């Protein structure tokens, strides 16, 4: 697919930062000197070495975590593709703000900054002190009839992602997590992945928040109708994102690209975040070097998207919540990987005999 | 296999504590009221509900963690079955005590008590303030020629495990981790698992700390010789443990049984700990209700032992270190599972619409 860019999207095509190969090699050397059989800490060793390359620091750390949650409504919710009513998007934004949602609890527990961004909902959230409002519209348009977003809405959503990452960098975050909330957003993510991967929707459509078999069949039919309308007109990943994406999916896409440009490691959560990551990688391929995939979701399409991205997640806890929750659960594992890497004694320091 | 018991082993046959089914049901009901699609937190929900049943508390927690590391040498090390020399056992005990080993770093990081127990090594460790010494002998006997332990040594090792758990309970630990260190102990664990599972050694023998293919073939041959000697004489799991086990494997076995008797949840680490867990379950079957399996090790026999125990570990991080390290890595995940369970808002509290 060929890319067309408007002036306001030019920032998206700045190059990604380079990994620090020297820090990576230094970290690799250190790992093999630590008092354990070589490789015995398995993927914890890999994490430390990858973070070293990303942070340009042979002794990496992830003490400062920035979690940005992007929320928005979807016009396609009118087609009854979700197990929950559309007003849950705004109700959950309130729950995030009041501290009762899973990601609120996780953010407190891992001592992360929680940055809440409302991109536009169908129902009023009321005044919420700790939520940033963009209000691109009362949700996207229903993409079985027309493109989900105008060019301007798409630009603003991408920009909202960029700005969240700029805030993360300004506050010296060492790692970025993007989360999402939006009733019907697994329908949008499935449709978008179908176009980007040229894959039939049956492989990428699942229960989302909890549809039964009939619900999934109906959702599949809705996605098929949308693809019939939009596929002929899609000339590039950006246009696919505009036509069948969503405000929060576009914001995550912009955020991931910005992280790659600034050299800030990202943890990707579940299915919807992974489709945004796929979109980001289609737009700026080197984004891939800055992405850590937290977990395998039970949403069936996640497997295909992970494969397309060459991703091997660390966790498989049968999560399917979104909100960045699975990414947040990985943080303590990353912290342990770093502290093992940084604080264990070497064979020489501890005067321990090496392998025969 | 029929069990024979000496008077000093009688404590092992006290019954396991019962799970609290009321706390379990209350926790289950709470999980389904929290502001997320039902089941969306997957195995994190299972952890919270299982801990509720174990702790008799519908709002469980694992703030206080007791890690007991049992170390001891193995006579069979004389057969060159390990990639590392035998003196590494005592050198690593010093490393544990000085804070440089993986488990030392992990224990500090997760704020756990680290209880170091030397059951008997071939090389002197020197005086170490924070190590408890039992000194059952300079390691076990070489089990290709004779039983690894005398009855008295076995009793003392089992007792050492019991005493560690009693200390954990006295200090109000909410969860127990047992770790092990002992050059050649994967040879002992493989031989023991072969007898307990009536499985050929080829399925249960692996590289341990890092043998190459020739080394594994030699280790397999050593185990086969040991099984030819001991299999005809083994009449019960206890006798298998005495003949081909080790001080630290017996101590872990005693510890796990004591945890079950006191109703203290246990996290099982890798291959060697799992073989001790298998031994404990053979001796006192209800021990199984008190065991949480942390991770799948890359040691090939672990898979078989986990299957025999009906275990589904939470993590698969390609770990193979021992020392209780994989179990310690699970602690932050358990803590997040508990805090999500305890602190998330319910649909009613947050006034969120339920499923259509």
């Amino acid at each position: 697919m060929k890319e067309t860019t408007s002036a306001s999207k030019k920032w998206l095509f700045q190059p990604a930062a380079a990994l620090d190969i020297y820090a990576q090699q230094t970290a690799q050397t250190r790992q093999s000197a630590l008092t354990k059989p070589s490789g015995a800490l398995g993927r914890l060793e890999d994490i430390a070495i990858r973070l070293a390359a990303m942070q340009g620091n042979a002794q990496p750390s992830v003490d400062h975590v920035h979690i940005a949650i992007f929320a928005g409504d979807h016009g396609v919710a009118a087609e009854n593709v979700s197990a929950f009513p559309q007003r849950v998007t705004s109700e959950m934004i309130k729950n995030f703000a009041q501290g009762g949602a899973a990601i609120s609890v996780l953010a407190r527990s891992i001592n992360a900054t929680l940055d809440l961004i409302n991109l536009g909902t169908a129902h009023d959230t009321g005044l919420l002190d700790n939520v940033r409002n963009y209000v691109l519209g009362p949700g996207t348009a229903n993409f079985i009839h027309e493109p989900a977003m105008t060019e301007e809405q798409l630009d603003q959503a991408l920009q909202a992602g960029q700005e969240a990452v700029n805030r993360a960098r300004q506050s010296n975050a060492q790692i970025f997590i993007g989360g999402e909330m939006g009733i019907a957003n697994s329908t949008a993510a499935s449709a978008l992945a179908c176009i980007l991967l040229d894959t039939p929707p049956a492989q990428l459509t699942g229960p989302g928040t909890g549809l039964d078999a009939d619900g999934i069949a109906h959702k599949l039919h809705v996605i098929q109708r949308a693809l019939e309308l939009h596929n002929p007109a899609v000339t590039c990943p950006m246009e696919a994102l505009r036509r069948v994406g969503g405000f929060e999916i576009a914001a995550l896409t912009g955020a991931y690209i910005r992280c790659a440009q600034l050299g800030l490691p990202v943890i990707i959560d579940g299915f919807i975040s992974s489709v945004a990551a796929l979109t980001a990688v289609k737009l700026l391929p080197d984004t891939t070097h800055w992405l850590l995939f937290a977990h395998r979701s039970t949403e069936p399409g996640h497997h295909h998207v992970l494969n397309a991205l060459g991703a091997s997640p660390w966790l498989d806890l049968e999560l399917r919540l979104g909100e960045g929750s699975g990414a947040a659960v990985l943080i303590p594992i990353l912290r342990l990987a770093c502290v093992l890497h940084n604080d264990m004694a070497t064979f020489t320091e501890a005067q321990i005999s090496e392998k025969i």
Side-chain angles (χ1 to χ4, degrees), chain A residues 19-107:
Chain A
L19 297 177
D20 185 330
I21 302 305
Y22 178 75
Q24 180 180 325
Q25 287 169 344
T26 308
Q28 178 81 64
T29 303
R30 177 168 174 80
Q31 271 295 335
S32 54
L34 299 177
T35 50
K36 58 183 170 53
S38 179
L41 284 172
R43 299 194 71 195
L44 298 181
E45 301 185 14
D46 303 339
I47 289 179
I49 293 165
R50 284 198 64 191
L51 285 170
M54 290 174 168
Q55 295 185 344
N57 181 352
Q59 300 205 293
S61 65
V62 290
D63 296 332
H64 300 141
V65 180
H66 190 102
I67 305 176
I69 306 297
F70 301 99
D73 265 320
H74 291 258
V76 75
E79 305 303 321
N80 297 315
V81 287
S82 175
F84 283 83
Q86 190 173 44
R87 64 180 173 277
V88 167
T89 305
S90 39
E91 290 169 348
M92 280 301 296
I93 293 171
K94 281 187 265 188
N95 198 24
F96 295 147
Q98 289 162 1
I103 194 61
S104 320
V105 172
L106 290 169

Side-chain angles (χ1 to χ4, degrees), chain A residues 5-345:
Chain A
T5 55
S6 66
S8 55
K9 290 188 187 71
K10 282 240 168 96
W11 69 270
L12 288 161
F13 301 94
Q14 292 168 20
L19 297 177
D20 185 330
I21 302 305
Y22 178 75
Q24 180 180 325
Q25 287 169 344
T26 308
Q28 178 81 64
T29 303
R30 177 168 174 80
Q31 271 295 335
S32 54
L34 299 177
T35 50
K36 58 183 170 53
S38 179
L41 284 172
R43 299 194 71 195
L44 298 181
E45 301 185 14
D46 303 339
I47 289 179
I49 293 165
R50 284 198 64 191
L51 285 170
M54 290 174 168
Q55 295 185 344
N57 181 352
Q59 300 205 293
S61 65
V62 290
D63 296 332
H64 300 141
V65 180
H66 190 102
I67 305 176
I69 306 297
F70 301 99
D73 265 320
H74 291 258
V76 75
E79 305 303 321
N80 297 315
V81 287
S82 175
F84 283 83
Q86 190 173 44
R87 64 180 173 277
V88 167
T89 305
S90 39
E91 290 169 348
M92 280 301 296
I93 293 171
K94 281 187 265 188
N95 198 24
F96 295 147
Q98 289 162 1
I103 194 61
S104 320
V105 172
L106 290 169
R108 279 199 300 278
S109 190
I110 64 172
N111 196 26
T113 300
L114 187 60
D115 185 8
L116 301 173
I117 300 122
N118 181 355
L119 298 163
T121 52
H123 299 260
D124 188 17
T125 61
L127 192 64
L128 298 167
D129 278 349
N130 51 347
V131 176
R132 201 173 297 267
N133 289 290
Y134 280 80
V135 197
L136 310 188
T140 56
N142 184 345
F143 63 58
I144 70 165
H145 300 306
E146 60 189 310
M149 288 175 265
T150 64
E151 283 290 345
E152 192 186 357
Q153 286 174 320
L154 175 60
D155 289 351
Q156 290 173 328
L158 290 160
Q159 185 72 28
Q162 184 201 32
E163 290 171 8
V165 175
N166 292 344
R167 289 193 293 278
R169 171 49 56 96
Q170 277 157 19
S171 64
N172 297 313
Q174 294 164 306
I175 201 154
F176 180 87
I177 290 173
E180 41 59 45
M181 172 67 213
I183 291 301
N185 69 3
S186 70
T187 301
S190 291
L192 180 54
C194 286
I195 298 178
L196 296 178
L197 297 177
D198 194 17
T199 296
Q203 287 186 36
L204 290 162
T205 305
T209 53
L211 291 174
D212 61 13
D214 285 349
I216 296 172
H218 172 68
K219 179 175 169 181
L220 176 62
H221 177 67
V222 168
I223 293 171
Q224 280 167 332
R225 281 181 62 192
L227 294 177
E228 283 163 23
L229 174 66
H230 296 294
N231 246 332
V234 170
T235 52
C236 64
M238 192 69 87
E239 183 64 2
L241 178 60
R242 185 179 79 83
R243 285 178 168 266
V244 300
F247 296 156
E248 79 285 41
I249 297 172
L252 285 171
T253 302
Y256 297 153
I257 288 173
R258 188 59 172 173
C259 282
Q261 292 171 340
L262 295 184
L264 183 62
V266 181
I267 313 179
I268 305 296
D269 184 20
F271 177 61
I272 292 148
S273 300
S274 295
V275 173
L278 178 67
T279 312
V281 168
K282 293 280 182 187
L283 293 170
L284 185 70
D286 283 345
T287 301
T288 195
H289 304 303
W290 297 92
L291 307 180
L292 302 166
F293 290 83
H295 73 107
R296 292 190 181 277
S297 160
T298 57
E299 180 69 15
H302 197 207
H303 174 71
H304 294 281
V305 177
L306 290 169
N307 281 354
L309 286 159
S312 299
W314 274 274
L315 302 176
D316 188 353
L317 294 169
E318 302 174 12
L319 307 177
R320 52 180 177 82
L321 178 57
E323 305 179 4
S325 57
V329 170
L330 187 66
I331 289 290
I333 303 288
L334 299 188
R335 286 179 177 159
L336 291 181
C338 290
V339 79
L340 284 163
H341 177 82
N342 297 333
D343 292 359
M344 277 181 71

